[in-house]
Amino acid sequence: DVCDEATANADLPYDHLQFPGVVTRTFTGAFVLSSIARIISFIVPKSIFDLPSHPMAVQFLIRFELLILSWLAHVRLASSLEGYFAKNKQVKTPQSIFGYYLLITASQFHIPFYSSRLLPNTFALLLTTHAYAEWFNGRPDRTAIYLVFTTAIFRCDVLLLLFTVGLTMLIRRELRIVQAVIIGIVTGIIGVLLTAPLDSVLWQRMVWPEFEVWWFNAVDNRSSEWGVMPFHWYFSNALPKGLLLTMFLVPLAFLNLIGWTKEKPNNNTVIDQTLLQFFIPTFGFVVLYSFLPHKEMRFIFPALPMFNACAAYGLSKLHAMALTARKGAGMSFISKGLYICGLIAVVITMIGSLLFLRLSMENYPGGAAMEHLKSHFEATTETSTPQAPTWEDVHVHIDVAAAMTGVSLFGQRSVTHHYPIQMSKSGYEAENDAKDSSRSFTHMLSEEQSVQGYHVVDTIEGFPSLDKRNLRIVTNPAIYILERDGWIPKEYITRGTKRKLNWYYIVIALSGFIIAATLGLQKFIGQTKTRML
């Protein structure tokens, strides 16, 4: 939207005032990305980068910017994790932990998939990843700054992580109380000054978005209106789905495995406390969040990088065991077998993530319907029927279901650029209910199949599920493209084309895996050459 409005000849206005959503959200992240895109627009030929004529290309660029920024954060965390162990004198430097962190993160579904999505959760994940990197680098003050900044601007719920991490730092005397208070006040004020003026202008009232979100959830306690899950949901559902088989590598980070420590601990403990001080606050964040009745996977995104860091440490231990295990008594065979099992867990996780990706492609029938509508208009133009009305008379209505499943202003612009038609949307707000105005529309994208005076032009499948017995993805009708009876003679009515595979989502989701796997492989090869020399 920010990129949309920044264009001088924009013909589609903002719609956030008409469709404000449940709570206000900040424009800060979108503003930063659109500013970068504006700079790029001065370099790239206008014929390539032009919002009115190539809106989907602009959307791709904006999301690719966020993807790169997100993965740079993970590369930095991987490097900081490796540096932390290099400075730790009590344990050996883990084998290829840099590459293992990136590989494990890339093999999962949620972080790569959401790393390019313009959600507050994505921006919060990016900044908390930098916060963890600073913590591993031995700069707890910067960690606190990142967390306060994230809380004030993007996600107020990061306050829970700030609490657990900050309490740990105070207990371990990494921060003094006075120092923590100063960081909180100064960084909080700067964060509010960065977000409130911009958001107040765009929301057309004085507003600090994350304060309103905090009030909605903590004071009014209204989040439960959107669904209630049991206390254990994050541990029994969200984390297993987010980590898949790599979750079994996490406990290994806290075990003193054979041949790992340089010297035997004085108390012969089996617990490896190297990452425990970092993991406990993150685990506590998930526990505290479990008390909130309404739960979603994306709410605990800030915890995933630390879980992956522990998983990478666990896999590094298996790697070290496979290389250093004593021969005889089957120890070498067992160690190598465990290491292979760890690698298989990563591979199976990646396969599962690809399956999730394929399922997710069917979760955006509204966006697919917009593409099919454009194809329908193209087919209608080819008929060149004198009975067809002019494009200025065409009015397309998008209902709530379609609007929430992939329809964006970028997608609308991709249609209106070629055809000067009108478009309107419904919302769950009473003032945005357009059911009684259906007679004024020539076309509708609707979840309702039967509307008096309209016929179905095309049906878009959605609601995907996996048929385990037949090993196939099952979908059901989700969005219907409806056309008003008599808008064009029946003999010229065209049926929608067969749905094509949308490579856009595949490229965005897999780019992160390719980047991470390449960086991890390069690091691994470099370390192997060093050991050989």
Side-chain angles (χ1 to χ4, degrees):
D1 282 354
V2 173
C3 185
D4 185 20
E5 185 69 9
T7 305
N9 61 346
D11 54 68
L12 286 177
Y14 280 124
D15 62 1
H16 68 282
L17 295 177
Q18 182 182 1
F19 306 97
V22 181
V23 291
T24 57
R25 287 298 185 185
T26 183
F27 284 84
T28 305
F31 178 78
V32 171
L33 295 177
S34 65
S35 299
I36 298 174
R38 181 62 57 189
I39 295 174
I40 296 176
S41 68
F42 295 133
I43 304 173
V44 179
K46 189 175 179 62
S47 58
I48 298 176
F49 184 89
D50 182 57
L51 183 61
S53 58
H54 298 92
M56 302 310 293
V58 175
Q59 183 184 33
F60 182 90
L61 173 63
I62 295 293
R63 293 188 61 173
F64 192 72
E65 290 174 15
L66 183 56
L67 175 69
I68 295 299
L69 293 175
S70 297
W71 280 109
L72 287 176
H74 288 288
V75 170
R76 184 164 181 253
L77 175 55
S79 179
S80 300
L81 182 63
E82 185 179 52
Y84 170 77
F85 281 100
K87 293 181 292 186
N88 193 319
K89 304 301 181 181
Q90 297 183 2
V91 295
K92 295 180 181 180
T93 302
Q95 299 286 342
S96 308
I97 193 169
F98 177 97
Y100 283 144
Y101 172 81
L102 292 178
L103 184 63
I104 288 172
T105 302
S107 69
Q108 297 166 358
F109 170 74
H110 292 87
I111 290 182
F113 186 78
Y114 281 89
S115 287
S116 66
R117 302 194 65 179
L118 302 178
L119 297 173
N121 309 85
T122 303
F123 291 102
L125 173 62
L126 191 158
L127 292 178
T128 52
T129 302
H130 281 293
Y132 290 139
E134 294 291 359
W135 204 5
F136 284 127
N137 285 334
R139 294 191 284 259
D141 53 337
R142 296 188 182 182
T143 298
I145 290 174
Y146 271 109
L147 293 179
V148 173
F149 195 76
T150 305
T151 302
I153 296 181
F154 293 109
R155 290 291 304 188
C156 65
D157 48 12
V158 177
L159 182 64
L160 298 176
L161 182 61
L162 176 63
F163 170 74
T164 57
V165 171
L167 183 61
T168 301
M169 290 179 175
L170 291 175
I171 293 175
R172 294 179 56 83
R173 297 184 179 180
E174 296 176 333
L175 284 180
R176 301 186 306 275
I177 295 179
V178 175
Q179 183 184 12
V181 171
I182 293 175
I183 289 175
I185 294 176
V186 174
T187 308
I189 291 175
I190 294 175
V192 173
L193 291 178
L194 287 175
T195 182
L198 173 65
D199 294 320
S200 296
V201 170
L202 292 171
W203 285 105
Q204 298 184 10
R205 61 184 177 88
M206 291 298 297
V207 61
W208 173 15
E210 287 311 300
F211 177 79
E212 290 195 357
V213 176
W214 173 82
W215 191 274
F216 180 89
N217 289 323
V219 179
D220 293 340
N221 193 25
R222 294 182 55 192
S223 63
S224 58
E225 297 176 3
W226 303 93
V228 175
M229 289 79 171
F231 179 86
H232 58 78
W233 187 83
Y234 283 131
F235 299 99
S236 61
N237 189 294
L239 284 174
K241 185 179 293 184
L243 302 176
L244 295 179
L245 290 189
T246 58
M247 67 181 294
F248 295 108
L249 299 173
V250 176
L252 300 180
F254 311 110
L255 297 177
N256 275 324
L257 300 179
I258 301 173
W260 179 247
T261 56
K262 285 183 177 180
E263 297 179 359
K264 292 183 178 179
N266 295 329
N267 57 0
N268 293 323
T269 178
V270 297
I271 303 299
D272 183 347
Q273 301 182 20
T274 310
L275 292 184
L276 202 58
Q277 67 191 55
F278 302 102
F279 179 75
I280 289 179
T282 308
F283 187 84
F285 161 73
V286 180
V287 171
L288 290 178
Y289 221 140
S290 297
F291 286 98
L292 192 69
H294 179 61
K295 299 176 177 65
E296 293 185 32
M297 177 69 202
R298 57 192 176 95
F299 291 171
I300 59 169
F301 277 179
L304 295 184
M306 188 58 70
F307 277 85
N308 289 347
C310 294
Y313 185 32
L315 186 57
S316 297
K317 288 183 177 183
L318 295 181
H319 187 173
M321 287 177 58
L323 293 178
T324 61
R326 297 184 300 273
K327 294 183 178 180
M331 284 303 302
S332 178
F333 176 79
I334 295 175
S335 299
K336 291 180 180 178
L338 290 174
Y339 176 54
I340 292 174
C341 288
L343 294 178
I344 291 176
V346 175
V347 172
I348 294 177
T349 296
M350 184 184 67
I351 295 174
S353 298
L354 292 175
L355 177 60
F356 285 164
L357 174 62
R358 182 63 186 89
L359 287 168
S360 296
M361 289 178 59
E362 305 292 341
N363 278 332
Y364 303 93
M370 187 64 68
E371 295 177 358
H372 283 224
L373 180 65
K374 182 180 177 181
S375 298
H376 175 65
F377 286 157
E378 291 174 353
T380 301
T381 303
E382 293 174 0
T383 61
S384 300
T385 60
Q387 297 91 340
T390 60
W391 290 113
E392 287 75 8
D393 297 328
V394 176
H395 189 174
V396 179
H397 181 71
I398 304 164
D399 76 351
V400 177
M404 294 180 65
T405 56
V407 174
S408 68
L409 293 182
F410 290 100
Q412 291 178 234
R413 190 185 288 274
S414 67
V415 177
T416 58
H417 170 67
H418 295 88
Y419 307 100
I421 63 178
Q422 302 179 63
M423 285 195 177
S424 61
K425 288 191 289 188
S426 283
Y428 52 79
E429 304 89 349
E431 59 272 20
N432 292 321
D433 188 353
K435 289 183 178 180
D436 297 332
S437 306
S438 60
R439 288 178 297 178
S440 64
F441 307 133
T442 58
H443 298 78
M444 300 175 68
L445 305 185
S446 174
E447 63 179 337
E448 301 291 337
Q449 179 179 10
S450 178
V451 177
Q452 185 176 3
Y454 291 80
H455 59 270
V456 176
V457 172
D458 202 355
T459 302
I460 311 301
E461 298 287 318
F463 309 117
S465 61
L466 180 63
D467 184 352
K468 298 179 181 178
R469 176 175 298 181
N470 299 312
L471 296 178
R472 66 187 183 93
I473 296 175
V474 179
T475 58
N476 294 288
I479 300 296
Y480 299 92
I481 301 179
L482 305 176
E483 188 173 79
R484 191 171 63 197
D485 294 340
W487 181 74
I488 189 172
K490 290 185 178 181
E491 59 268 22
Y492 294 108
I493 293 177
T494 59
R495 295 296 173 186
T497 58
K498 183 179 179 181
R499 184 172 182 180
K500 299 178 180 179
L501 192 63
N502 194 331
W503 290 102
Y504 170 78
Y505 296 108
I506 293 181
V507 171
I508 282 290
L510 292 185
S511 293
F513 174 79
I514 295 172
I515 293 171
T518 302
L519 289 171
L521 183 61
Q522 289 178 345
K523 191 73 174 181
F524 177 80
I525 293 174
Q527 290 178 343
T528 302
K529 289 182 177 179
T530 301
R531 288 195 297 269
M532 291 176 64
L533 296 175

